[in-house]
Amino acid sequence: MASNKDAQLIVRINKAQRDEFVALCNELDTSSSREIRKFIKRFVKKHKPEQEKPVKGDQDG
C-alpha cells in the first residue's frame, strides 16, 4: 500500500468531543490524524471480504 497521503476525509463532530480527543492524543504522544488512520486501517481489514484479504505468506500481504 502506498504511504503517500494524498486524500482528505472531512468529518463533522461535536467540538467538545473533538477537543477531548485531541487532548487525549496529545497526552498519549500521538496525533489525532494518526489515530484516525489506524482506526480506518483496522476497520477496513476487519470488514474486507475474505476473497480480498491477503493469504498468509502472500508476497503482496
Side-chain angles (χ1 to χ4, degrees):
M1 186 178 294
S3 64
N4 60 341
K5 298 170 188 106
D6 59 358
Q8 276 187 323
L9 175 65
I10 298 172
V11 179
R12 297 194 57 86
I13 62 171
N14 177 284
K15 182 179 180 339
Q17 286 178 323
R18 180 237 181 242
D19 292 347
E20 186 174 17
F21 178 67
V22 170
L24 285 167
C25 287
N26 289 334
E27 286 178 28
L28 297 169
D29 196 29
T30 188
S31 71
S32 55
S33 295
R34 181 180 299 143
E35 296 306 316
I36 296 297
R37 284 191 299 270
K38 284 173 27 180
F39 167 78
I40 290 171
K41 286 177 187 177
R42 285 191 311 261
F43 185 90
V44 169
K45 184 177 180 179
K46 179 179 178 180
H47 296 284
K48 185 181 273 190
E50 283 298 320
Q51 65 271 20
E52 293 182 29
K53 291 182 180 176
V55 177
K56 189 172 183 174
D58 187 0
Q59 290 179 337
D60 293 336

